[in-house]
Amino acid sequence: ASAIDFTVFEDLESEVRTYCRKFPVVFHRAVGADLFSEDGRRYIDFFCGAGSLNYGHNNATIKAKVQEYLAADGIMHGLDMHTAAKREFLRTVNDVVLRPRGLDYKIQFCGPTGTDAVEAALKVARKATGRRGIFAFTGAYHGMSRGSLAATGSLRARRAGGVGPGEVTFIPFEDGPAGAFDSIGLIERYLNDPSSGVEKPAAVIVEPMQMEGGVYPASREWLRALREVTEKHGVLLIVDEIQSGCGRTGRFFCFEHAGIVPDVVTLSKSLGGIGLPVSLTLFKRGLDVWEPGEHTGTFRGNQLGFVAATAAIELWQSTKFRTDLAVASRRLERFRTELAQTHPEIVTRGRGMALGLDLGAAGGAERADRVQRYAFEHGLIVELCGRDDEVIKLLPPVNIDIARLDRGVDILRAALWSA
Ligand code: PMP
């Protein structure tokens, strides 16, 4: 029996609230992989703000830069005016992230959510091509505004928002549960055959690893084939890296594993380093078709976000960080191998520091829910995802220390045996 009074939340916060229902405590402090609740409990966080805290809570290096900026009366809100913090950020993105990878993109600040970046990506694709249609994949998650929601696979979310698929055509996600489906062949067919009734789209939007959809990494070959078919037909390829990017899979961008170059890329979530909202769209120079004022937004460019993001990218570049990430990834991989032996009925998928445990054939969503509850009661926070919430999603900080990782895995192991 808990002594916590939740009345104020229940009275005042909309019924749309979700995570608080699963994790009924009041959190007030967090460091690294640890979250602390007001009643004095400590939780290991394998959820990390739905992928917004790849570098953990309150990373000391990033936090110090933010504190320094605040202490010096750094400008906090500047719309898209020129600021020193933005200049530093632009240079760092270009020098550390883009140029070394041979990427030549222009950067559009959207803001402050991932949804905004997707919305901008869809709009720029439409404006640049003069076409309206979009191909998206079943199981995709791209956002909650009208344009991005139309490209999101969840019928439930679309219906709740009164949004039809509109100009979006859904293609089965080949490396997802649809499996063994020639999705590239279908795209080719739509593009070649006017009698299909499907207009040639402005763009295809894809997550290189579907995260909300159930942790389904697209295969390298498939992504390459998708790049080829879009290129051949002059259709833009938008890669949504909002959850798979910023180092989650071991590379800065998940699409790097396939060696492709997208036309448009969306980034958000962990870009803001310690959870500050930053979102942007990257597009090839020739796609910068905007005239000033055609796409605006009061919170384009969160200055504190720029400071944190610059520090996070510098951190990402450090040798120690890369070593920590590699060690943690190997440890997580070892857990995956162990599960294959102890729980062969559980299908595991992932890349780098993202791991999904699919209980679809091992108790399904009900068991996933029991595992999540058991884990929470024993001090570990995990999230569920997948078409039916049947997949346990593990997103620890990518540089988590091994002792915390092991402790979290121990709790999860116990949860899987017990629930
Ligand atoms: N795209 C992807 C791949 C996402 O995972 C998300 C968020 N889960 C979004 C877009 C939307 O981001 P936001 O919630 O910040 O609007």
Side-chain angles (χ1 to χ4, degrees), residues 1-272:
S2 149
I4 308 170
D5 182 3
F6 296 110
T7 319
V8 67
F9 302 106
E10 285 159 8
D11 276 359
L12 296 177
E13 204 179 345
S14 157
E15 293 304 321
V16 81
R17 65 194 189 279
T18 56
Y19 298 118
C20 57
R21 297 178 197 265
K22 292 179 162 191
F23 309 122
V25 290
V26 180
F27 296 106
H28 71 139
R29 218 167 65 75
V31 184
D34 291 336
L35 268 171
F36 299 90
S37 61
E38 277 181 347
D39 57 353
R41 287 156 150 270
R42 177 164 85 166
Y43 296 86
I44 297 174
D45 190 2
F46 277 13
F47 171 40
C48 283
S52 302
L53 295 162
N54 281 3
Y55 320 114
H57 292 270
N58 280 307
N59 176 280
T61 314
I62 305 173
K63 195 173 76 170
K65 290 279 168 65
V66 167
Q67 284 172 323
E68 215 173 276
Y69 187 78
L70 280 172
D73 288 333
I75 182 164
M76 286 294 284
H77 188 276
L79 289 161
D80 68 349
M81 289 188 280
H82 293 152
T83 65
K86 181 161 79 172
R87 180 176 53 208
E88 190 73 7
F89 173 73
L90 285 169
R91 278 192 186 142
T92 307
V93 169
N94 197 47
D95 294 353
V96 178
V97 178
L98 302 181
R99 215 155 20 89
R101 290 168 178 77
L103 300 169
D104 186 21
Y105 290 130
K106 291 202 79 176
I107 301 170
Q108 180 185 349
F109 296 113
C110 314
T113 68
T115 293
D116 296 310
V118 171
E119 204 65 51
L122 298 175
K123 281 171 72 173
V124 84
R126 285 173 168 141
K127 179 147 201 248
T129 60
R131 297 189 296 265
R132 292 172 309 173
I134 300 290
F135 285 2
F137 292 94
T138 51
Y141 189 101
H142 296 297
M144 288 289 113
S145 60
R146 202 169 179 88
S148 60
L149 182 55
T152 290
S154 164
L155 206 51
R156 184 168 169 254
R158 285 211 309 272
R159 280 195 180 133
V163 172
E167 287 140 347
V168 175
T169 302
F170 282 99
I171 309 285
F173 187 64
E174 191 164 312
D175 295 301
F181 183 88
D182 182 9
S183 46
I184 303 292
L186 180 63
I187 291 172
E188 185 93 55
R189 199 174 168 135
Y190 280 153
L191 295 175
N192 280 328
D193 177 8
S195 72
S196 68
V198 176
E199 280 179 38
K200 179 172 169 175
V204 174
I205 183 165
V206 67
E207 291 159 88
M209 173 155 66
Q210 282 195 353
M211 299 299 288
E212 299 302 323
V215 192
Y216 288 98
S219 74
R220 295 162 179 83
E221 298 69 32
W222 184 82
L223 273 178
R224 277 189 210 127
L226 185 63
R227 176 64 284 191
E228 259 169 47
V229 73
T230 46
E231 198 144 45
K232 180 170 136 199
H233 290 274
V235 170
L236 299 174
L237 181 63
I238 303 173
V239 174
D240 183 345
E241 288 275 1
I242 288 167
Q243 195 163 160
S244 56
C246 296
R248 175 53 64 186
T249 67
R251 302 280 187 96
F252 191 84
F253 297 106
C254 185
F255 69 71
E256 287 178 64
H257 295 282
I260 59 163
V261 177
D263 298 301
V264 183
V265 181
T266 55
L267 275 179
S268 185
K269 291 202 190 255
S270 284
L271 192 62

Side-chain angles (χ1 to χ4, degrees), residues 330-349:
R330 277 199 297 275
R331 201 76 167 194
L332 201 59
E333 189 60 33
R334 209 172 78 180
F335 175 53
R336 194 175 166 183
T337 311
E338 173 205 314
L339 278 179
Q341 283 155 9
T342 57
H343 293 76
E345 74 286 5
I346 299 176
V347 177
T348 62
R349 292 181 296 269

Side-chain angles (χ1 to χ4, degrees), residues 370-384:
R370 290 198 303 274
V371 170
Q372 186 186 40
R373 279 170 205 277
Y374 179 102
F376 176 70
E377 280 156 19
H378 292 78
L380 172 71
I381 295 188
V382 294
E383 174 55 334
L384 306 181

